[in-house]
Amino acid sequence: MAQQGVLLDQDQFCCSVCLDLLKEPVTIPCGHSYCRICIEGCWDQDVLKGVYSCPQCRETFTPRPNLRKNNMLADVVEKLKETGLQAAPPPALCYAGPGDVACDFCTGTRKQKALMSCLACLASYCETHLQSHYESPALKKHKLVKATAQLQEKICSHHDKLLEVYCRTDQQCICYLCTMDEHKGHDTVSAAAERTEKQRQLGMSQQKVQQRFQEREKELKELQQAVESFKSSAQAAVEDSDQIFTELIRSIERRSSEVKELIRAQEKAQVSQAEGLLEQLKQEIAELRKRSTELEQLSHTEDHIHFLQRSAQAAVEDSDQIFTELIRSIERRSSEVKELIRAQEKAQVSQAEGLLEQLKQEIAELRKRSTELEQLSHTEDHIHFLQVTKLSCYM
């Protein structure tokens, strides 16, 4: 029971803005106490209105109250610290990791992951420290966006004010003081209005990217089909060439066989005729041997038959050589035709593959751009949206 009482007292000495034990506690005119840095941060945002409010109620003050340290609260807080007691930690802590935005109001070596960033406070808050922006009437008016580490980019470097106006003349985000200074007389609109217009242009760009993506996908499929068709046609041409030259070689071989048979038939007829003449000559020589010495030489007519047989063999050999050379010439021509077909196929396939690779790279780039456009179209931060679209090539 005693422990519960201590915890209850401890809660009463916590700042409603940062939810930690009071640090250099100060009490404002309405009686509520805050850390000095927390209440000064809230009132720094109210300076333009000239009216300062309490984060816990609707009471306002004019002029800005002087903040004095509450020594009694400071002593109580120091005693609580000496007992080793701290503010009760919120349940289900989610600590910030690499790439996360850490809460600006968490203490200790490990800070919780921020959920939202306040463009008015220029700070990021975890779920616990964000509650004051939902509960305090003054803080409810602040603009909250998804936690971002680039809060300083939302502040005008000249006037240290929030960027909430867009200058169409110079195409840049400015603060409201810039409209009365170097951007006076320029075409200016609110950042939200320019966001709406750029969102419309972004949507049109997305449609164009998607349409181009679909066209490239269609071209890719058609080119792939053309490559496959060409490969099939080239293969068919090679097969047809093989068949044509094979049939031509077979025809030549048949013609060679026919010529050989004709030569052999002519040889046989001539030899038969010569043998008949030889027999007749032998009979005449036998009868005239005694009458003339010249008839003696005629008895060697066997040389004429041998001559005729050698001539026929030479003709056959010449025929073989001629047809062999013709076949070799045809085979060489067939090889040259095949090589020409293959070379044309290789060149056209290489060209088509180059186009395929180019289309694939362009499709990948279109996918990347489409994803970036889709992500950009859903950002809640108008200033970030306008700054990115100015630097990008999407418009």
Side-chain angles (χ1 to χ4, degrees), residues 228-242 341-342 345:
E228 293 300 324
S229 176
F230 179 76
K231 288 181 178 180
S232 299
S233 299
Q235 183 61 30
V238 170
E239 294 175 354
D240 291 343
S241 173
D242 280 339
I341 292 174
R342 292 301 185 189
E345 175 191 10

Side-chain angles (χ1 to χ4, degrees), residues 227 230 344-356:
V227 170
F230 179 76
Q344 291 176 345
E345 175 191 10
K346 183 177 180 181
Q348 296 187 18
V349 169
S350 177
Q351 182 181 4
E353 288 175 346
L355 291 174
L356 282 174

Side-chain angles (χ1 to χ4, degrees), residues 11 18 38-39 45 47 66 98 121 135 137 139 162 208 218 233 243 246 295 318 323 342 386-387:
D11 292 339
C18 68
C38 292
I39 192 63
Q45 303 303 320
V47 68
N66 292 325
C121 300
E135 298 170 357
L139 298 180
L162 183 66
K208 292 180 180 179
K218 182 179 179 181
S233 299
Q243 183 177 1
T246 299
L295 294 178
D318 291 342
F323 282 108
R342 292 301 185 189
L386 295 175
Q387 289 173 335

Side-chain angles (χ1 to χ4, degrees), residues 182-198:
E182 62 265 30
H183 294 269
K184 185 176 181 179
H186 289 187
D187 181 13
T188 59
V189 294
S190 68
E194 184 65 15
R195 163 67 186 270
T196 301
E197 175 61 21
K198 289 290 179 68

Side-chain angles (χ1 to χ4, degrees), residues 44 79 92 151 168 172 205 217 221 261 301 314 331 383:
D44 285 343
K79 291 180 180 179
L151 285 175
R168 288 179 172 173
Q172 68 181 80
S205 297
E217 283 279 10
K221 292 180 181 179
E261 291 178 358
T301 54
E331 288 176 343
I383 301 301

Side-chain angles (χ1 to χ4, degrees), residues 263-264 266-268 270-271 306-318:
I263 292 174
R264 294 300 184 189
Q266 290 177 349
E267 173 193 10
K268 184 177 180 181
Q270 290 180 4
V271 169
H306 180 64
F307 173 79
L308 290 175
Q309 289 175 336
R310 282 184 62 191
S311 298
Q313 182 62 31
V316 170
E317 293 175 354
D318 291 342

